[in-house]
Amino acid sequence: MSESENTTPAGRRGNAPRDIATARPEGAPRFPDGPAADPAGAHHERRIRSFQPRRSRVTPGQAAALRRLWPVWGLDIDGLRTLDLDAMFGGLPVVLEIGFGMGEATARMAAADPGTGILAVDVHTPGQGNLLGLAERAGLDNVRVANGDAIILLREMLPPAALDGVRVYFPDPWPKKRHHKRRLIQPEFLALAASRLKPGALLHCATDWEPYAEQMLAVLTGHPDFENTEAGGGYAPRPAFRPLTRFEGQGLDKGHVVHDLLFRRRSG
């Protein structure tokens, strides 16, 4: 789901509360020991991105969580190392979640399934801080927060067959036709994801944008590395482990239809 960018009207001075994360000398990083602004900048890739970083205000609580918890539970996707997921999660099976918003659903899934590690990736700083705070307050030790491009993470920082699942919930639908090439769920992404998934692992997508759901279903159905868990094909009912979020509930109240797609990584 997308959020509008927070802006300050031109000419407004003095009355707006200052974001404590931005009260710093010019040119200094927002969080010296926190998420980097462009962790894989050295790659200088000319690839079309499926995400667009958003600027919005970091609350004092989120900033405090980033400063305190990022060195413990956070990591930058820099493409310079291979992650040891066994060491990171104590041997738990690991699911990669791409795009977690403010992290409420991620925290609820982690609490409901402490035997599964969740490697949650996003580029939204307030959401990163919010998820870290939620994990700390709930006493969750099976969540790690990654900052940066999930493609670089999959391609350069994870070994083959490292993941027990991939979740892509409500990705940006890029509704304009000229932007469809930016959508994440494309054959190239599926091939990369399949190479990092164990045989039998689930790829779970969800969207409330009907045209994107149709594209997802077509691309997944036609991909040789995946098979639909629905015997008759088509969309799946929302599984119990994916919680209904506040934003999803608001959409349902407005008549939006949410489609879940659950596809299994084929063996071999």
Side-chain angles (χ1 to χ4, degrees):
M1 293 185 177
S2 61
E3 293 186 22
S4 59
E5 185 173 288
N6 291 333
T7 58
T8 301
R12 180 179 175 184
R13 301 177 184 276
N15 295 324
R18 293 190 75 186
D19 177 354
I20 65 168
T22 60
R24 64 191 189 282
E26 185 176 354
R30 295 180 84 187
F31 304 99
D33 296 318
D38 186 13
H43 287 252
H44 295 297
E45 288 189 287
R46 306 182 79 167
R47 173 172 51 85
I48 294 172
R49 305 284 181 178
S50 63
F51 63 89
Q52 185 172 0
R54 305 185 303 275
R55 294 178 183 175
S56 55
R57 182 177 179 271
V58 178
T59 68
Q62 293 161 1
L66 284 166
R67 292 192 179 97
R68 186 174 63 256
L69 300 172
W70 187 262
V72 182
W73 289 340
L75 66 100
D76 282 317
I77 300 172
D78 53 20
L80 302 177
R81 54 192 164 132
T82 299
L83 299 180
D84 185 343
L85 296 183
D86 283 340
M88 189 179 297
F89 289 95
L92 296 178
V94 177
V95 171
L96 174 67
E97 183 176 358
I98 301 176
F100 56 80
M102 296 305 292
E104 291 97 340
T106 306
R108 289 166 63 184
M109 288 187 289
D113 185 12
T116 296
I118 300 179
L119 179 56
V121 180
D122 211 305
V123 294
H124 190 221
T125 309
Q128 293 165 351
N130 199 62
L131 177 53
L132 288 170
L134 290 171
E136 181 185 46
R137 289 191 292 275
L140 305 176
D141 60 3
N142 58 331
V143 176
R144 300 293 182 271
V145 180
N147 168 55
D149 189 340
I151 299 296
I152 294 175
L153 174 68
L154 283 164
R155 190 183 66 207
E156 301 179 26
M157 299 180 69
L158 293 177
L163 297 171
D164 291 81
V166 172
R167 297 168 179 167
V168 186
Y169 297 157
F170 304 99
D172 195 326
W174 295 104
K176 295 181 180 179
K177 187 174 182 179
R178 68 177 184 271
H179 291 156
H180 286 184
K181 60 190 176 183
R182 296 183 178 273
R183 289 176 173 174
L184 179 63
I185 305 303
Q186 307 275 6
E188 297 80 5
F189 169 78
L190 295 180
L192 176 59
S195 72
R196 301 303 186 253
L197 283 167
K198 297 174 182 176
L202 282 179
L203 172 62
H204 182 194
C205 303
T207 182
D208 61 350
W209 191 262
E210 186 76 26
Y212 197 7
E214 293 171 355
Q215 178 192 325
M216 287 180 179
L217 182 59
V219 172
L220 278 161
T221 300
H223 201 281
D225 290 331
F226 291 96
E227 59 182 349
N228 199 335
T229 61
E230 288 295 295
Y235 304 112
R238 178 176 65 87
F241 66 79
R242 184 178 74 76
L244 185 69
T245 67
R246 175 168 53 92
F247 294 106
E248 183 179 354
Q250 291 172 351
L252 292 172
D253 290 341
K254 296 176 183 177
H256 296 182
V257 177
V258 176
H259 291 295
D260 285 79
L261 302 95
L262 285 117
F263 278 71
R264 193 178 310 281
R265 172 71 165 96
R266 294 181 187 272
S267 300

